[in-house]
Amino acid sequence: LEVRFAPVAIVPDPLRACDDAVTDGFTIFDLTAVAPEVLGGLDPAQFDLYYYQDNADAIAAGDVALTAPDFSLSIATPGAYLNTSNPQEIYILVVGNSSSTIPPNPNTGAGCYDIVALTLIVDPIPDDLGPFEMQLCDDDLNGSTFTDEISTFDLTTQNILVNGGDPSIAVLWYETAADELANNFIVDPTMYQNTATPQTIVGRATSDLGCSNTVTLTLTVFPNPAPNFMPTPLELCDDDDDGLVSGFDLTLRDTEILDGQLATVLYY
């Protein structure tokens, strides 16, 4: 009779992953990431881990591990596993291999096993509610001029639109997609000056679960009108020599004031 050492595996915390670009609750998991947690103090060189979708398959494999090892029904690629439901239970078979000789038991532990469950959870990413637009007239703030097509934008005014009014979703702004990948965010988004018009920048929305999505925001600076500041005077004859005459049609100078520009003239 031989009594072999039976491992005691640790139930791991749920393995969480953010949903991918297709927001359907399915994504790729690396199941092997929980191996150190499952083994606890066990020597990883003495125990093999197999991952199963069905607990019955894991039990069946464990039961014959002493006599006729067969792990063919385990998940073939545990490092790149696509979940089948959300959440989903995966069953981890921890089985002693031929190197498993843990004192004080003088017999090998090969074939003895334990099974623990692993919960997979796919967390949602924030919705992309964009694209968004901001439009300003050319200003002269922060060193710019009224004619340089540069204005100062407060990007944070768009945060409530990006996160849909959910304050738990944080928003950061990036000048380019490359900056977003490198996490080089705009330091002061309340005073951002565009570099071209139109210009498209990137916003990253991150949930309290750490899942992110990106949106685009197009900044446009409109030129200020350049009117004819000296239109020809309007003249009417004074019928009673009091200097006051009714009947001036101010709109007669609209065309002259606009000087070919697409704009509207109002009089005050």
Side-chain angles (χ1 to χ4, degrees):
L1 302 177
E2 291 184 359
V3 178
R4 299 189 174 186
F5 178 84
V8 178
I10 306 299
V11 178
D13 292 332
L15 184 60
R16 311 184 79 104
C18 296
D19 211 342
D20 48 31
V22 180
T23 55
D24 54 5
F26 299 98
T27 194
I28 300 296
F29 287 87
D30 180 4
L31 306 180
T32 65
V34 302
E37 185 181 0
V38 170
L39 289 173
L42 298 175
D43 185 350
Q46 299 185 31
F47 295 90
D48 297 327
L49 277 65
Y50 299 92
Y51 304 83
Y52 291 84
Q53 294 185 140
D54 192 324
N55 191 33
D57 290 338
I59 294 172
D63 287 344
V64 299
L66 276 168
T67 56
D70 180 6
F71 309 107
S72 60
L73 295 180
S74 64
I75 294 170
T77 55
Y81 175 72
L82 178 65
N83 61 306
T84 60
S85 65
N86 185 34
Q88 180 183 355
E89 293 293 307
I90 292 294
Y91 302 93
I92 304 175
L93 172 65
V94 180
V95 60
N97 57 35
S98 58
S99 301
S100 182
T101 54
I102 298 182
N105 193 328
N107 301 302
T108 175
C112 294
Y113 73 93
D114 193 12
I115 297 174
V116 292
L118 167 65
T119 302
L120 305 181
I121 299 175
V122 179
D123 293 318
I125 61 175
D127 293 331
D128 180 354
L129 302 176
F132 302 97
E133 292 186 357
M134 287 188 74
Q135 300 169 340
L136 290 178
C137 294
D138 205 341
D139 63 30
D140 63 347
L141 300 177
N142 301 312
S144 68
T145 68
F146 282 119
T147 59
D148 60 5
E149 297 186 332
I150 295 175
S151 290
T152 300
F153 292 82
D154 182 357
L155 306 179
T156 64
T157 60
Q158 304 300 299
N159 289 5
I160 193 171
L161 301 178
V162 174
N163 63 23
D166 184 349
S168 68
I169 297 178
V171 180
L172 289 175
W173 293 100
Y174 301 84
E175 199 163 57
T176 65
D179 285 337
E180 191 274 329
L181 290 174
N183 200 33
N184 294 325
F185 54 84
I186 295 170
V187 176
D188 186 0
T190 65
M191 298 287 286
Y192 178 72
Q193 286 188 312
N194 61 301
T195 59
T197 185
Q199 177 189 354
T200 299
I201 62 174
V202 178
R204 180 202 290 168
T206 304
S207 71
D208 53 0
L209 295 171
C211 297
S212 300
N213 203 357
T214 57
V215 298
T216 58
L217 169 63
T218 299
L219 308 177
T220 303
V221 175
F222 293 122
N224 294 307
N228 173 8
F229 287 100
M230 297 294 292
T232 304
L234 286 171
E235 298 181 2
L236 287 179
C237 294
D238 187 349
D239 55 2
D240 56 3
D241 294 326
D242 62 356
L244 302 177
V245 177
S246 63
F248 281 98
D249 182 0
L250 307 181
T251 64
L252 293 176
R253 292 295 180 263
D254 284 4
T255 299
E256 188 178 343
I257 292 171
L258 290 175
D259 195 22
Q261 298 180 89
L262 295 176
T264 302
V265 180
L266 297 175
Y267 296 88
Y268 298 87

